[in-house]
Amino acid sequence: MTNKNNNLSPGDRDRLQARFASLVVEQGLAQKEAAALCGISRKTACFWYKEMKLADRIRKKKEGARRDRDSANGLVMFIKKKYPQDYPLVENRFREYLQPY
């Protein structure tokens, strides 16, 4: 596939790609929405999505969040059993991890 954005320097293209990747991976936007915010075509967005393997990065991020949640749940359950007087403090601290996805 040829790059139709010939007017962009390689540095500008890299910054635009990084912004697109950030919108898709970190903020969870759809390719179409991220493309509109970056001012690129959907075809270019699709090409970059495949080229940068963003699906793998999104999957790894979700798996990492799941592991964090499972670890937090295990820790909270341990404290609830072993140190019940401290449970309310721990529950408040890890509340964001205890919410189901």
Side-chain angles (χ1 to χ4, degrees):
M1 177 176 197
T2 61
N3 181 8
K4 293 184 179 180
N5 291 324
N6 291 332
N7 55 346
L8 290 178
S9 69
D12 289 340
R13 182 179 182 272
D14 291 343
R15 282 189 287 279
L16 193 56
Q17 271 188 319
R19 181 169 182 236
F20 173 75
S22 173
L23 290 171
V24 172
V25 176
E26 300 301 325
Q27 296 184 19
L29 293 180
Q31 290 180 46
K32 182 179 177 180
E33 295 167 334
L37 288 173
C38 291
I40 59 174
S41 71
R42 289 173 52 190
K43 190 173 184 179
T44 300
C46 181
F47 177 73
W48 285 357
Y49 187 86
K50 291 176 184 176
E51 181 183 54
M52 293 187 288
K53 299 180 178 150
L54 296 182
D56 293 339
R57 290 164 67 179
I58 293 168
R59 186 173 29 261
K60 287 178 184 176
K61 182 181 177 198
K62 286 182 180 178
E63 288 172 359
R66 190 176 312 116
R67 278 194 300 273
D68 289 347
R69 185 192 66 213
D70 293 344
S71 296
N73 279 330
L75 177 63
V76 169
M77 291 299 110
F78 169 77
I79 291 173
K80 185 176 184 179
K81 289 178 184 176
K82 193 82 169 167
Y83 307 101
Q85 71 277 9
D86 293 332
Y87 178 70
L89 298 172
V90 173
E91 184 183 30
N92 288 335
R93 172 67 176 94
F94 290 101
R95 186 174 308 279
E96 67 184 69
Y97 293 105
L98 298 175
Q99 299 300 320
Y101 284 62

